[in-house]
Amino acid sequence: VRGLASTGTAWGENTSLLVVEGRMPRRIRDYFQDCAFHRGMVQQDLAALAATIELFILNEAKEQLRSAYKMLGLDPDDRISWNSTLDVVTVYTTCYNAGINVSEVPSEQWWRQTITEDFAAWRSKVTSWIKASPFPDLESYSFSQVQAVLPMFMEYHRRLIDKLSRRTKDRLLTLEGSSSGRVRLTDLYRSYEEKGWHEFDERKEFLQQLGVLDESDAEQTRVIIPNYVLNPRNCIGPWGYYATCSVNPCEFLMRQLEDTLGSPEAAPSVIAREVAALPSATVKAPRTLPSALVRKLEEVAEHHQGSVPIHGRLFFQWMHFAYPLECPYPLPSESAKPMTEVQFEAETGLEASYSEDEMRKVTREVSIQSTPHLKCDENAEECLATWTSEEELVQHRTLPLASRNAAASALGDNGEESSPVLTK
């Protein structure tokens, strides 16, 4: 969700949090910002926020579909034929796939000239989505029945993004030292020419501002694999409220840990025991955690009077080193503010990607460089070189009764105890 996703900016009243790219109506936005930054958020507020954003997303999708109707000279209030349904869904889905807002398409002719998809192959896909919808073989379709086809496309699109993400990650995992969660930037660039992986052509300065580089070693810059795979640049979608991104495997690990612990904080020994028993796609369990990693967890506990809050930057950082291929490294807020390719080019005057000639020059330069890759199993301390002690918390605290107002009655509270809330 745009404005809620982590983009390197601190969580505060002057940021885009809850603004959702400025599209949320001011009255509603002000209400939720007051919850988040003043009186605190109870579960009902979080549920209301999720439902509100979902409503905005559905309404925006509806408006984009109406624009597809109008572009083809059709009335959204009329029933349309099966073939017209095929045309409308084709316009909507090809625009989404190309990152184009349907409402901004000037004409059908412009659309046909701009979209690069193989129309015959794409219409075959659209036919399959209609056939898989709740209304596969109607003679005519109402607007709501056409809407019912779109979830079939969105599921296809989600799988596509996930497939592309897995391919990128699989390729990175073939590079030397990948088990550490980091690969040498020189190896990434070398693969452009040696393996023909032309997607790895991003300019170093562009990768720096995305927050995907580990530059703690002056002799060798490395790419942090989960940060590279999960960075916002890999999300696709032209709509204002959200984009389709690849699945973050660390979220599943955190969910399992939350269920196991049953608390927002725990003793380091308890967390270490549970994590040692928690497997991932690349980490076998049970396992013995490296002593250096356990010491870091104990340091986090010392920072918080003996227990470890699991919803803070220090613990997310620890999870990155415990699961280096699943959990991204959490950069301190304000240290990275990712820009899109267009924003980067406007800001720096540089293309986000190297040209073919530039890539040939870069690969020639890196071919003479040779530094050892990380071996975390042998030297955990070396892999913890980027560890920083900067904490950022989503705090759990109790509000005074006077601050809760209507929240207490919404919870059915009897007024004797205050309610848990989330604040920053």
Side-chain angles (χ1 to χ4, degrees):
V1 174
R2 303 189 194 279
L4 290 180
S6 174
T7 56
T9 302
W11 187 6
E13 293 181 76
N14 296 322
T15 71
S16 65
L17 182 76
L18 306 181
V19 176
V20 195
E21 295 292 313
R23 297 172 61 88
M24 184 178 282
R26 183 177 182 84
R27 181 170 59 86
I28 298 174
R29 184 183 72 214
D30 288 348
Y31 171 78
F32 285 121
Q33 285 189 320
D34 180 58
C35 290
F37 305 121
H38 297 289
R39 70 175 178 83
M41 267 193 165
V42 295
Q43 286 184 331
Q44 282 81 354
D45 293 323
L46 290 172
L49 174 61
T52 300
I53 293 176
E54 182 179 24
L55 179 62
F56 288 143
I57 288 173
L58 292 174
N59 285 342
E60 184 178 36
K62 185 183 295 185
E63 289 307 309
Q64 294 296 325
L65 185 58
R66 287 183 179 276
S67 296
Y69 269 76
K70 292 175 182 177
M71 194 192 86
L72 295 171
L74 300 170
D75 188 339
D77 295 328
D78 293 341
R79 296 187 71 85
I80 59 176
S81 67
W82 198 96
N83 285 333
S84 292
T85 299
L86 180 63
D87 292 339
V88 167
V89 177
T90 297
V91 169
Y92 181 101
T93 55
T94 53
C95 283
Y96 188 96
N97 205 50
I100 297 172
N101 193 313
V102 189
S103 61
E104 297 175 0
V105 175
S107 66
E108 182 178 354
Q109 181 181 3
W110 182 92
W111 168 70
R112 291 187 179 278
Q113 291 173 345
T114 304
I115 299 299
T116 59
E117 296 288 350
D118 180 336
F119 275 102
W122 193 262
R123 285 172 73 85
S124 177
K125 288 188 177 74
V126 174
T127 298
S128 70
W129 298 329
I130 295 174
K131 294 291 186 183
S133 77
F135 309 103
D137 294 304
L138 301 181
E139 291 185 3
S140 65
Y141 286 77
S142 67
F143 185 85
S144 62
Q145 289 167 337
V146 176
Q147 268 189 297
V149 177
L150 303 184
M152 311 300 124
F153 161 70
M154 295 308 298
E155 177 59 22
Y156 159 84
H157 199 261
R158 183 196 65 76
R159 291 198 305 267
L160 175 63
I161 298 300
D162 202 44
K163 179 181 178 181
L164 294 174
S165 174
R166 285 200 308 271
R167 186 186 71 174
T168 297
K169 187 172 182 177
D170 288 345
R171 288 182 170 180
L172 291 171
L173 291 180
T174 67
L175 302 180
E176 192 176 19
S178 62
S179 63
S180 68
R182 287 158 168 72
V183 294
R184 293 173 294 204
L185 180 60
T186 54
D187 289 345
L188 188 78
Y189 286 151
R190 199 176 286 125
S191 72
Y192 177 94
E193 199 161 274
E194 293 179 357
K195 301 186 179 184
W197 293 346
H198 291 177
E199 68 266 37
F200 298 138
D201 64 350
E202 298 99 335
R203 190 177 297 275
K204 181 178 180 180
E205 294 87 347
F206 183 66
L207 294 176
Q208 284 174 322
Q209 63 86 31
L210 284 178
V212 304
L213 297 183
D214 174 358
E215 299 182 274
S216 59
D217 184 345
E219 295 183 2
Q220 183 62 259
T221 298
R222 293 181 171 86
V223 177
I224 308 172
I225 293 176
N227 291 52
Y228 184 91
V229 173
L230 297 171
N231 84 79
R233 178 178 178 267
N234 294 330
C235 300
I236 298 176
W239 299 173
Y241 285 108
Y242 75 102
T244 305
C245 305
S246 59
V247 175
N248 183 348
C250 196
E251 292 181 1
F252 295 100
L253 294 169
M254 283 298 299
R255 187 180 306 167
Q256 292 179 68
L257 196 57
E258 288 167 345
D259 289 343
T260 302
L261 295 176
S263 171
E265 58 185 55
S269 58
V270 174
I271 292 177
R273 183 186 69 233
E274 298 300 337
V275 168
L278 181 60
S280 73
T282 61
V283 175
K284 295 181 179 180
R287 58 171 167 156
T288 300
L289 298 178
S291 58
L293 192 59
V294 174
R295 284 197 300 273
K296 287 298 181 186
L297 190 61
E298 292 169 347
E299 286 178 18
V300 177
E302 290 171 6
H303 189 85
H304 294 288
Q305 291 77 50
S307 62
V308 178
I310 65 172
H311 299 119
R313 181 188 169 273
L314 285 179
F315 183 69
F316 291 152
Q317 182 179 214
W318 188 83
M319 284 290 286
H320 166 68
F321 291 106
Y323 299 94
L325 294 172
E326 281 82 18
C327 296
Y329 177 80
L331 291 164
S333 293
E334 309 301 339
S335 62
K337 295 182 180 179
M339 293 182 281
T340 65
E341 289 95 330
V342 173
Q343 291 168 334
F344 177 78
E345 290 166 16
E347 181 76 19
T348 66
L350 298 171
E351 295 284 335
S353 296
Y354 291 118
S355 66
E356 288 189 23
D357 288 341
E358 287 176 318
M359 278 305 299
R360 279 193 288 270
K361 180 181 178 181
V362 168
T363 52
R364 281 198 301 270
E365 290 175 350
V366 302
S367 64
I368 61 174
Q369 300 177 22
S370 179
T371 56
H373 61 82
L374 292 175
K375 297 180 180 179
C376 295
D377 293 337
E378 299 175 12
N379 189 353
E381 292 285 0
E382 182 183 19
C383 289
L384 290 166
T386 55
W387 180 278
T388 65
S389 298
E390 186 173 341
E391 179 67 294
E392 295 174 21
L393 284 175
V394 177
Q395 295 176 332
H396 296 252
R397 65 179 175 86
T398 300
L399 281 182
L401 289 176
S403 302
R404 288 183 291 136
N405 300 326
S409 59
L411 284 168
D413 194 358
N414 60 16
E416 294 178 357
E417 297 181 357
S418 53
S419 302
V421 298
L422 300 179
T423 64
K424 174 65 177 174

